[in-house]
Amino acid sequence: MDQSRRKFLKTTSLAAAAIAAPNIWIPMAGDAWGATLKKGEPIKVGLLFSLTGGLAVPEEDSTLVMQYAIDEINKNGGVAGHEIEPVIVDAKSDFNVYSEKTKELILRNKVIAIFGCYTSASRKAILPTVMSQNSLLYYPTCYEGAECSQNDICTGPLANQHSKDLIPFMVKNFGKKVFFVGSNYVWPKESNKNAKVWLNAAGGELVGEEYIPLGSSEFGPILNKIRDAKPDFIFSTVVGASDIAFHKQFKQEGFKVDSMPIASLTTGEIETRAMGNEFGAGHFLSAPYFQALDNPTNHKFVEGFLKSKYGKNGVTHYNMEETYISAYVFKYGLEAAAKKAGGIDGITSKMIRDASGGVRVEDGVSPEGLIWIDDQNFNTWLKPKIGQCQADGSFKIVKQADAQVAPDPYSIYPDVGVCTPTGLKAPDGKIRANVI
């Protein structure tokens, strides 16, 4: 094992251990939030994704599509007449680097906001710094919930918008017995807590549950357990390079997709292209966006992005699209804050965040269709969808919600309380800010 590999596994294990328990309270540093914008100066934002290492498969494309969105916004007049200036960082799939670069972006580069992270492990690694420095994070992908932070805005689905539909769909169409496989950190484990609730409600049966170290690629022992358990389908929360290895070894070990498909929350067009279409074909993904969505805005987005200098990897993907949307959520939130303040001069991260509740990205801008930011918990109202991977690597949508579904961070923890703009409101009326 080479040194970079050892370092990746060491840092991911440490990070996973450090954040294993959700609902940690992080006190605020003070009343002043983050950087302050000045009239006549560019709007600096940080792009904190991994361009190398085991998380680069989805995260490089997040960096590329953010640059595409920023170029698009700037070409159309920027925000309140000011251009957005990205500060691009390679987090190197190393949670220590995520944390270090967060401090650098906020304190040295003076960014007004950070767009970044793909895993909950990296998000939780940087949120304490974002909070202590009173900055703002746009987290543009799915996550598990059980969190109420006043310093981030999330544009991906929560568990109640993700596996809540996928689990009963798979039980109905393939059978009751399911085997859970996930990467070993907080998002898969917390997501599986939600999935178990919905599996029970659907009359399903959990016949096995295994986790593999984040970044690992050896699935032989887990596949042997799956062979013995004989599930009707597999529910996967494996991420990054590990996800590609899992699908390839599934087929190489002789498992048949028609009798035991994998239902995933992460395996989209990017991962399928990286592993080879033959390894993805037949499996399922739950996501709010697929490249094959048939609407004029998505056609324009796909064509424009893939023809641009940023479309080198040849596909669009749910995580990219949620990242793209986050750029417009930022634009509209900042414009709303500037309108209220009478201009951009003196705008802080908190003012943007406070103005973002209820922000809408309409059909004409959002490739997945209308979404909006909840004015209480600052997650996103969206339409959950389920797609099945085809032989050419595209996804056929087999189920879609009739309307946008409200984000519910505490869907399986109703007794914990409700997330509000000022913090988690417990049943006794007490409010705690920044519960992560």
Side-chain angles (χ1 to χ4, degrees):
M1 183 182 294
D2 61 36
Q3 289 185 348
S4 61
R5 175 78 167 162
R6 288 193 184 96
K7 184 177 182 182
F8 176 71
L9 292 176
K10 179 181 178 182
T11 54
T12 53
S13 297
L14 290 173
I19 61 175
N23 298 337
I24 299 171
W25 177 62
I26 306 293
M28 295 294 292
D31 295 329
W33 274 57
T36 302
L37 296 179
K38 295 181 181 180
K39 185 177 181 179
E41 295 184 359
I43 301 162
K44 295 177 73 173
V45 299
L47 307 190
L48 182 61
F49 297 101
S50 290
L51 306 179
T52 55
L55 296 174
V57 172
E59 293 199 29
E60 179 193 28
D61 286 277
S62 293
T63 300
L64 293 168
V65 81
M66 268 302 296
Q67 293 176 84
Y68 175 76
I70 289 170
D71 282 358
E72 190 174 70
I73 291 169
N74 286 343
K75 287 176 183 176
N76 287 289
V79 184
H82 292 67
E83 287 199 346
I84 302 173
E85 179 183 309
V87 181
I88 300 170
V89 173
D90 179 8
K92 301 179 181 179
S93 301
D94 182 329
F95 297 120
N96 291 329
V97 176
Y98 280 99
S99 182
E100 292 164 4
K101 293 300 181 180
T102 298
K103 295 174 186 175
E104 187 175 303
L105 285 167
I106 295 170
L107 298 176
R108 180 183 300 173
N109 300 113
K110 304 295 183 183
V111 300
I112 193 71
I114 293 173
F115 296 78
C117 305
Y118 172 70
T119 67
S120 287
S122 53
R123 186 187 72 254
K124 288 180 180 288
I126 75 168
L127 267 177
T129 298
V130 173
M131 293 170 184
S132 68
Q133 298 301 322
N134 299 307
S135 192
L136 181 61
L137 170 67
Y138 286 80
Y139 182 68
T141 194
C142 60
Y143 81 109
E144 68 282 355
E147 183 172 295
C148 184
S149 165
Q150 286 66 64
N151 294 72
D152 61 341
I153 295 173
C154 301
T155 54
L158 285 162
N160 77 293
Q161 301 165 311
H162 219 194
S163 55
K164 189 174 184 178
D165 286 342
L166 181 60
I167 292 292
F169 173 86
M170 296 301 294
V171 169
K172 179 180 178 181
N173 288 281
F174 294 97
K176 296 181 177 182
K177 297 195 297 181
V178 56
F179 198 109
F180 287 1
V181 182
S183 295
N184 191 17
Y185 71 102
V186 64
W187 174 71
K189 291 186 175 182
E190 189 64 28
S191 294
N192 284 347
K193 288 182 183 179
N194 285 266
K196 288 172 188 176
V197 172
W198 299 318
L199 179 65
N200 184 63
E205 177 188 357
L206 182 62
V207 296
E209 182 174 3
E210 293 289 331
Y211 296 92
I212 192 163
L214 192 57
S216 179
S217 60
E218 178 47 63
F219 285 89
I222 290 178
L223 288 169
N224 286 336
K225 291 181 180 181
I226 291 172
R227 184 176 284 107
D228 292 341
K230 297 181 176 61
D232 296 309
F233 68 96
I234 298 166
F235 179 64
S236 172
T237 48
V238 179
V239 304
S242 299
D243 187 25
I244 295 166
F246 180 45
H247 279 74
K248 292 181 77 170
Q249 290 173 40
F250 173 91
K251 184 176 180 67
Q252 290 164 352
E253 288 291 324
F255 290 92
K256 304 298 183 184
V257 66
D258 55 347
S259 59
M260 192 191 298
I262 300 171
S264 174
L265 302 182
T266 59
T267 313
E269 292 88 345
I270 290 176
E271 290 81 4
T272 301
R273 185 180 178 90
M275 71 177 70
N277 296 342
E278 68 272 24
F279 297 105
H283 297 298
F284 292 84
L285 170 70
S286 174
Y289 172 83
F290 295 90
Q291 182 174 318
L293 281 178
D294 187 13
N295 67 68
T297 303
N298 185 48
H299 295 165
K300 179 182 177 183
F301 168 66
V302 172
E303 182 178 3
F305 177 75
L306 295 183
K307 286 184 176 179
S308 77
K309 62 183 178 181
Y310 303 113
K312 65 177 185 177
N313 291 330
V315 293
T316 60
H317 180 266
Y318 70 90
N319 195 63
M320 294 168 59
E321 191 265 354
E322 291 157 12
T323 305
Y324 176 80
I325 284 177
S326 71
Y328 281 91
V329 171
F330 171 75
K331 168 181 162 64
Y332 299 148
L334 176 50
E335 287 176 342
K339 182 178 181 180
K340 183 176 181 180
I344 202 170
D345 199 44
I347 294 291
T348 65
S349 303
K350 185 179 189 300
M351 293 167 71
I352 299 171
R353 191 267 187 182
D354 289 347
S356 295
V359 157
R360 295 163 65 93
V361 184
E362 302 284 351
D363 289 335
V365 175
S366 169
E368 71 182 67
L370 170 66
I371 63 95
W372 64 90
I373 302 300
D374 189 86
D375 63 2
Q376 294 298 302
N377 59 50
F378 291 81
N379 290 275
T380 303
W381 289 66
L382 48 79
K383 282 188 180 180
K385 304 171 184 71
I386 299 171
Q388 184 178 28
C389 188
Q390 305 298 294
D392 64 356
S394 67
F395 281 78
K396 177 182 178 181
I397 297 171
V398 295
K399 182 178 175 61
Q400 175 175 296
D402 294 329
Q404 287 81 0
V405 174
D408 185 357
Y410 293 94
S411 58
I412 65 168
Y413 303 109
D415 296 335
V416 171
V418 178
C419 189
T420 74
T422 55
L424 180 64
K425 185 176 182 180
D428 62 5
K430 293 181 180 179
I431 293 179
R432 288 193 302 156
N434 291 318
V435 177
I436 65 169

